Amino acid sequence: MNKRSFKYFTKSLIVITILLNIISGNLLAQSKNPSPLNFPTPKNIDHMLFYIQRDPNINTAIYAVNYQENGKINQSNPIKAYWIRYAEKGEKKEFNYMQRKFAYGIESKTLNNEEFELLFVSYKKLPLILKKLDSDQKYHVFANVNQKKIQVEKIFVRIEGGSFWLPNVKYAEVTGIDTASNKTITERMLL
């Protein structure tokens, strides 16, 4: 190997090493859940689309399709949201006024008969799309996170201190099915 080839090889090796470190660091950051809590997975919830779990307790916010008695989606209010209070024997409880209007509530806008835009009242920078898929004739929620379209299954919000009005939110992780690869992924959003 001549001197020039060796220099090129060395530079290439350094660049590859740096890229691998960056990629592996991002993957490690994506997979870490520093919360000391052991969160239960909601099961057997009628029409559940996704759920939110967050520090400081294991209570879980459930977001489900709001069907009318005739079996059609409620066009003016397509989402039914409530707590499963795992910290209180798993009781189902509606959001209170403050939670609904300032924290966990959802605003919706009809895009067409089977499609809606959803926005959290507390964070409008993550538009969600609720739509019925032809493949299974069921509603699903989709979000674009880090240039990936995800069929949302759960969201984890990492909170470290703060107050009700100004919680210190470190990040949110959106977990679901990557529509491009059909694999389960978790994408972190710094807030």
Side-chain angles (χ1 to χ4, degrees):
M1 185 180 289
N2 66 29
K3 191 174 183 177
R4 191 172 187 198
S5 296
F6 182 75
K7 198 175 191 179
Y8 177 76
F9 174 76
T10 305
K11 285 182 181 179
S12 297
L13 189 58
I14 290 170
V15 169
I16 290 170
T17 303
I18 291 170
L19 288 174
L20 285 174
N21 282 329
I22 290 169
I23 292 168
S24 65
N26 284 344
L27 291 175
L28 184 61
Q30 291 278 340
S31 65
K32 278 187 176 177
N33 179 1
S35 178
L37 300 174
N38 185 16
F39 292 99
T41 301
K43 294 189 181 348
N44 303 318
I45 308 292
D46 290 339
H47 313 297
M48 183 175 74
L49 296 161
F50 67 96
Y51 58 95
I52 294 179
Q53 294 175 319
R54 81 282 180 264
D55 299 320
N57 61 48
I58 61 172
N59 293 335
T60 300
I62 302 293
Y63 296 84
V65 179
N66 187 18
Y67 286 109
Q68 300 175 91
E69 287 181 20
N70 64 5
K72 301 232 183 238
I73 194 166
N74 183 325
Q75 294 281 326
S76 62
N77 187 22
I79 298 292
K80 184 184 335 177
Y82 56 90
W83 290 111
I84 293 185
R85 300 273 204 181
Y86 288 112
E88 300 164 19
K89 300 179 185 170
E91 294 177 9
K92 180 179 172 181
K93 188 171 181 182
E94 299 299 318
F95 291 159
N96 66 31
Y97 177 82
M98 300 294 272
Q99 292 164 341
R100 194 172 54 254
K101 293 294 184 184
F102 299 104
Y104 302 101
I106 294 268
E107 294 174 346
S108 66
K109 178 172 80 174
T110 303
L111 300 176
N112 66 46
N113 281 343
E114 304 291 344
E115 193 169 332
F116 305 84
E117 180 183 61
L118 310 173
L119 295 171
F120 289 103
V121 294
S122 59
Y123 189 75
K124 303 204 186 236
K125 294 180 184 176
L126 180 66
L128 304 171
I129 300 297
L130 170 66
K131 67 180 181 179
K132 189 182 235 183
L133 295 183
D134 292 333
S135 59
D136 65 1
Q137 290 299 302
K138 292 182 182 177
Y139 284 95
H140 300 276
V141 169
F142 298 88
N144 288 310
V145 181
N146 300 333
Q147 289 86 43
K148 294 181 182 161
K149 185 176 179 184
I150 301 172
Q151 181 181 317
V152 181
E153 293 176 351
K154 71 177 177 178
I155 299 173
F156 172 75
V157 180
R158 178 72 169 129
I159 301 171
E160 290 180 355
S163 65
F164 174 80
W165 292 108
L166 291 170
N168 186 16
V169 178
K170 293 292 189 181
Y171 60 84
E173 289 180 336
V174 178
T175 300
I177 306 297
D178 179 356
T179 59
S181 68
N182 208 28
K183 293 183 180 176
T184 299
I185 62 169
T186 297
E187 288 293 321
R188 182 174 289 185
M189 302 175 354
L190 299 177
L191 308 176

